[in-house]
Amino acid sequence: MNHLGDAHLRNWTLRLAALLAADTQDQLAWLGERELETKDVVEEVELLCRVSEGLAERGAFEPEDLRDLRAIGRRLGEIDATCRVGLWEYALAVDPAWDDIRSLARQFLLTRLGDWRQPLPRPVRPHTGDH
């Protein structure tokens, strides 16, 4: 790793993978009252999976990490447009793709960190427009 941006993106990828790997109940607890759209989760993870290619070229991830991240990206790409509509909390409950993604994220974290159980990222507070 040779850039501060690389370290930030690597850490964000690991945090997001921890959220994806968490048990459904923990994901729902993390969501709390937040209304997070499924399409936004899919887009964020797909972006990080694509960015990971460059991170691996610069040494931030190992080749086996990249293989796991590509698998997550492929599975996300298989989620059709109708399943991307609506709140993520509902998709977690009804779309089996998220069980597959959970398993893939766990494999990524096991390979990278030796344990899939990682602290979840701090929830982002909703933007209210007030300063």
Side-chain angles (χ1 to χ4, degrees):
M1 254 181 311
N2 54 9
H3 302 341
L4 284 176
D6 287 357
H8 174 76
L9 288 170
R10 178 187 174 279
N11 288 335
W12 179 235
T13 302
L14 292 171
R15 283 190 220 116
L16 193 52
L19 179 58
L20 294 173
D23 292 326
T24 304
Q25 307 90 303
D26 294 331
Q27 292 169 326
L28 294 173
W30 181 88
L31 281 167
E33 297 296 316
R34 275 184 268 358
E35 295 185 347
L36 189 58
E37 293 289 326
T38 302
K39 69 174 182 58
D40 295 337
V41 174
V42 170
E43 289 171 3
E44 183 79 13
V45 178
E46 285 179 328
L47 174 64
L48 287 174
C49 288
R50 286 191 305 273
V51 167
S52 67
E53 298 281 339
L55 292 173
E57 289 173 7
R58 294 187 296 278
F61 284 120
E62 299 298 322
E64 58 270 15
D65 299 331
L66 199 53
R67 184 180 58 245
D68 293 336
L69 289 168
R70 285 177 181 150
I72 293 169
R74 277 192 304 274
R75 186 62 184 104
L76 283 166
E78 294 169 356
I79 298 175
D80 68 40
T82 58
C83 292
R84 294 180 185 214
V85 174
L87 297 177
W88 192 40
E89 68 180 291
Y90 299 123
L92 285 170
V94 299
D95 189 347
W98 293 103
D99 293 332
D100 296 341
I101 292 163
R102 180 175 299 106
S103 177
L104 293 167
R106 287 177 179 182
Q107 180 57 50
F108 166 68
L109 292 170
L110 278 169
T111 300
R112 184 71 194 147
L113 303 175
D115 190 355
W116 67 264
R117 292 170 204 85
Q118 300 295 318
L120 299 183
R122 285 190 311 247
V124 176
R125 297 196 186 279
H127 178 67
T128 61
D130 300 333
H131 284 94

